[in-house]
Every structure is written in C-alpha cells, then in structure tokens.
Amino acid sequence: MNKRPTILATRYAPDSPLRRAEEVDLEFSNGERRTYQRLKGSGFGAVLIVAMRDPDTVLLVREYGVGVDRYELGVPKGRLDRDETTEQGANRELKEEVGYGARKLKILGTLSLSPSYMTHLAHVVLAEDLYPERLQGDEPEELEVVPWRMDRLHELLARDDVTEGRSIAALFMAREYLAGRYQPA
C-alpha cells in the first residue's frame, strides 16, 4: 500500500466558483507534486440514522431533495450541532424527523460523500428501543414516515425514489450488523 501523500499547504481557492473550496498542495511518496481542490465541509459532521421500529422493521422518511427535484425515500439524517455527541445528534434528528427517540444507539461506522473532492463525513447510527417523542425540526413540511421490512431491502434498489447511496449503504450496514455478520471497528 502506498504511503499517504504529504500535505504541503492548504489555502482558500479564490478562483473557484464554489464557496468553501480550498487548494491542497500534495507531495506523493514518489516525489510527484500536485495541487488539488476540495470542498470543505461546514458544521460539525452529520448523522444517518437507521431507526428500528422492531427487530424486522426500519423507519424511513420521504423528503424532498432539491438537488434531484423530487421526493426521495431514505433514512433520517442531519447535521450535528456544536457540543453535541454523535449519539445525541442522532437522537435529536430522530425525534425531529420521525417523532421517536431511542433508548439504544450504536455507531456502526462513517461514510464519506465523495472522498475525491469533499471532506464531508457522516456517522451511521443504529437506533433501537424506540419511544414516541417529537421535537420541532427545521424541515419546511412534515416528513412522511414509511415503515420498511429489513428482509425487503433489496426491493429498495429497484425504486426510482431511492437513489441516495449513503442511505442504501447505512441500511445494509445495519442489516449485516443485526445479523451478526459485521462488527464496527
């Protein structure tokens, strides 16, 4: 395996049309030097929540995605607030988007959005032992909550309204964890 490149310098990319772009000067192990641009994430990270209503059923949400201009079905998700742990943020987002809190939360791993040019990372959190509790969120409309059987996850792949890769990955990570075939590091 190659040694990770050395970051020689980073700076704001003034010529980029993207607001939070930075230039990164790298030196690779073979001596080759390059400058890349990457988008800097904002905030304190994000969470994707796999909320288990019962051992066989996950709760998904249908939410409008302006990037694709349609409603998408996926796991609840959101940004972490300042001074909030991953578990606290996951439980808050769950209460805001689904109307449930969780007594049991387990971090299953971290997913990147586009590691070639973005710093964004999201933690996948399994939420179990749910109880009803709603917090006011920042969504412009109430989200539709859709129960989905875990043994039918493969059917999500054929749907036109399920295209977000992070949601799909989070669901399969949870399925494998619950089946005892995956253990987080």
Side-chain angles (χ1 to χ4, degrees):
M1 184 165 178
N2 291 338
K3 180 181 164 241
R4 192 163 67 187
T6 302
I7 295 177
L8 303 173
T10 60
R11 65 193 158 280
Y12 170 71
D15 296 330
S16 175
L18 304 169
R19 272 187 34 219
R20 288 187 302 268
E22 75 178 351
E23 292 178 344
V24 182
D25 296 330
L26 298 170
E27 182 175 340
F28 289 82
S29 60
N30 63 1
E32 191 73 27
R33 290 184 176 203
R34 297 282 165 86
T35 299
Y36 287 86
Q37 284 191 355
R38 69 180 178 192
L39 294 176
K40 294 273 302 167
S42 63
F44 306 98
V47 289
L48 301 161
I49 305 107
V50 180
M52 300 302 298
R53 183 180 71 184
D54 58 55
D56 301 317
T57 311
V58 64
L59 297 176
L60 304 176
V61 293
R62 188 177 319 280
E63 184 173 18
Y64 179 74
V66 69
V68 291
D69 189 29
R70 66 174 174 248
Y71 283 87
E72 286 274 320
L73 187 61
V75 299
K77 59 191 139 316
R79 291 181 179 193
L80 293 173
D81 289 340
R82 179 184 305 279
D83 298 325
E84 187 174 54
T85 67
T86 300
E87 293 89 348
Q88 289 168 336
N91 214 21
R92 176 186 48 76
E93 286 291 341
L94 184 61
K95 292 173 184 178
E96 291 174 1
E97 294 192 4
V98 183
Y100 283 92
R103 291 182 188 90
K104 184 177 174 189
L105 295 156
K106 172 75 175 169
I107 299 171
L108 298 182
T110 304
L111 298 173
S112 60
L113 189 56
S114 188
S116 294
Y117 67 93
M118 293 181 77
T119 64
H120 178 79
L121 295 173
H123 306 283
V124 177
V125 180
L126 178 67
E128 296 177 287
D129 195 8
L130 304 183
Y131 58 91
E133 183 177 342
R134 177 160 301 278
L135 291 176
Q136 181 66 39
D138 58 0
E139 287 74 29
E141 60 186 2
E142 189 171 332
L143 303 182
E144 178 187 357
V145 178
V146 178
W148 196 272
R149 289 192 45 87
M150 290 295 277
D151 62 0
R152 293 180 46 227
L153 285 185
H154 61 284
E155 294 177 18
L156 287 175
L157 302 176
R159 293 178 60 109
D160 291 339
D161 62 347
V162 179
T163 64
E164 197 219 358
R166 295 178 313 158
S167 282
I168 294 167
L171 288 165
F172 280 87
M173 287 171 72
R175 183 188 74 180
E176 296 304 294
Y177 173 79
L178 291 169
R181 294 184 293 258
Y182 165 68
Q183 285 298 314

